[in-house]
Amino acid sequence: AGAGVVALQLAGAVGGWRTAGLALLGALLTAWALPRLLPRGTLRLELGIPAVIATRFLAMGSLMGATAFVPLVLQRVHGWSVEQASVAVTLGSVSWAMGASLQTRVVDPRARRRLPLVGTVLLTLGFLPVAALVWEWMPVWVALVGWFFSGLGIGMVQSTLSDLALGMVARPEHGKVSSWLQVADNAGAALELAVVSIALALWRHTGGVDYLPASLIALAMAALSVVAALRIMRSPA
């Protein structure tokens, strides 16, 4: 799976026919290996543990992709310095911590099952103005407000999903579930960035708005995480 992701990431950097070759190799390796590292049914968003792991995969992938995208666009499109752009990353980290703290105060089991949906909705809605940063006319302060709420959403999602996943299985299965969560965290982010790398390599020849694929891919993953979170709501208690 790691080799497949590396091939996908390299595909966006080499250009020419090698891009197609490496992208195909990476896609085949990842498609073969990744499902074997996650619970069966994760890619189909099946109810129960698969839906939880899929939500984690999509939410973390979109968040990490946006975390790489935001400071870059602030510097290249809006003329911010490196130090100024780091403020945006810090703002997201602070709101992430706030979201993680808020979810600990929700103790009712039924309410906790709704937290992933609430968090992913905040994540997605917050990304809308962030995605628009690729245009110079977008007010940065509006995007930073959205970024704050995206961080708040992921803070509510990440810890809650760990709690829900572990609560769905017997204690002897906790190690396996923990490994699934770790794979989802890392694979989601790595795959998102790999796909963005290829998309940007192809996009630069079109003359379109710079970095637009990066914002749209992160937004699409966030929207899919809402769908996966809805499947958690429908899972048996």
Side-chain angles (χ1 to χ4, degrees):
V5 171
V6 168
L8 287 171
Q9 291 179 335
L10 288 176
V14 294
W17 64 268
R18 291 174 295 178
T19 293
L22 282 172
L24 179 60
L25 174 63
L28 290 174
L29 286 174
T30 305
W32 177 83
L34 189 58
R36 289 164 169 77
L37 301 175
L38 298 170
R40 182 174 298 179
T42 297
L43 300 183
R44 296 189 299 272
L45 307 184
E46 290 186 2
L47 302 183
I49 286 285
V52 174
I53 302 300
T55 304
R56 181 81 162 244
F57 179 95
L58 293 164
M60 292 302 295
S62 63
L63 192 281
M64 290 300 104
T67 300
F69 156 82
V70 167
L72 177 68
V73 173
L74 286 175
Q75 293 174 68
R76 299 286 180 85
V77 177
H78 296 274
W80 284 33
S81 67
V82 174
E83 291 78 10
Q84 290 173 320
S86 67
V87 172
V89 179
T90 304
L91 179 66
S93 300
V94 170
S95 62
W96 186 335
M98 291 174 61
S101 177
L102 285 172
Q103 64 85 27
T104 65
R105 302 174 184 275
V106 180
V107 295
D108 180 74
R110 289 173 296 182
R112 289 195 64 77
R113 287 167 66 85
R114 291 192 291 268
L115 281 177
L117 179 59
V118 174
T120 53
V121 168
L122 284 174
L123 180 72
T124 305
L125 293 179
F127 274 174
L128 290 174
V130 173
L133 278 174
V134 295
W135 288 283
E136 293 183 6
W137 52 259
M138 180 64 193
V140 173
W141 71 268
V142 176
L144 290 183
V145 171
W147 186 236
F148 176 87
F149 282 103
S150 290
L152 194 69
I154 198 66
M156 297 173 67
V157 166
Q158 189 191 32
S159 301
T160 305
L161 290 177
S162 296
D163 182 39
L164 289 176
L166 294 172
M168 288 180 173
V169 299
R171 189 175 296 273
E173 300 293 313
H174 281 189
K176 182 188 296 185
V177 172
S178 295
S179 72
W180 288 337
L181 290 166
Q182 292 300 314
V183 170
D185 284 349
N186 291 286
L191 270 179
E192 198 276 351
L193 293 172
V195 172
V196 166
S197 174
I198 296 172
L200 288 177
L202 298 174
W203 183 255
R204 66 170 176 253
H205 300 296
T206 68
V209 177
D210 288 344
Y211 311 113
L212 182 60
S215 65
L216 293 181
I217 290 170
L219 183 60
M221 286 191 74
L224 285 174
S225 73
V226 175
V227 177
L230 284 169
R231 300 288 287 171
I232 297 175
M233 293 280 293
R234 294 178 56 191
S235 300

